[in-house]
Amino acid sequence: VQLQASGGGLVQSGGSLRLSCSASGSFFFINTMSWFRQAPGKQRELVATITRAGTGEYADSVNYRFSVSRDNRKNTMYLQMNALKPEDTAVYYCYGQIMPHIDSAFKDYWGQGTQVTVSS
């Protein structure tokens, strides 16, 4: 099982970006998925979480600016980021709680990260 994050880049303050996270390989079920981010010198922090049913939750710092969604048919999660600020600059990682086989427990999987840089 692999999670592949993409869509990062350089954007000016106030701009927008859309991140994607796709799961590939062999697996039975994807449960909760999340976006985390880590800025230089800081700990990794939770940005947004989405249940399989599509219910999203957000960190206070991104609420009303970011929107998380997913397409279960495509095994893909998205993060629409609007009104970006320089403090949003970080490497963004996707996370998935995935059941590899029908008779296995859920396991934690991480994507490789995608850099988001917001210039002032």
Side-chain angles (χ1 to χ4, degrees), residues 33-86:
M33 301 185 77
S34 301
W35 288 100
F36 287 76
R37 69 185 181 186
Q38 187 167 19
K42 294 187 177 181
Q43 291 189 335
R44 189 173 297 190
E45 63 174 351
L46 177 64
V47 174
T49 294
I50 185 166
T51 65
R52 183 170 180 84
T55 300
E57 293 185 354
Y58 303 90
D60 289 343
S61 59
V62 306
N63 206 9
Y64 304 113
R65 297 190 297 123
F66 290 10
S67 178
V68 62
S69 60
R70 64 191 286 175
D71 185 337
N72 292 329
R73 295 170 300 175
K74 296 182 178 179
N75 297 315
T76 300
M77 172 180 63
Y78 306 96
L79 185 67
Q80 178 65 43
M81 305 185 294
N82 299 324
L84 282 162
K85 305 175 181 180

Side-chain angles (χ1 to χ4, degrees), residues 73-106:
R73 295 170 300 175
K74 296 182 178 179
N75 297 315
T76 300
M77 172 180 63
Y78 306 96
L79 185 67
Q80 178 65 43
M81 305 185 294
N82 299 324
L84 282 162
K85 305 175 181 180
E87 51 263 45
D88 294 319
T89 295
V91 177
Y92 283 70
Y93 298 90
C94 59
Y95 159 86
Q97 189 183 48
I98 300 175
M99 183 183 291
H101 309 288
I102 190 172
D103 57 352
S104 67
F106 282 107

Side-chain angles (χ1 to χ4, degrees), residues 1-33:
V1 181
Q2 285 191 330
L3 293 178
Q4 180 72 38
S6 62
L10 173 64
V11 64
Q12 288 188 334
S13 181
S16 297
L17 282 175
R18 189 192 194 207
L19 305 183
S20 299
C21 173
S22 296
S24 61
S26 179
F27 52 87
F28 178 72
F29 188 84
I30 303 176
N31 196 22
T32 297
M33 301 185 77

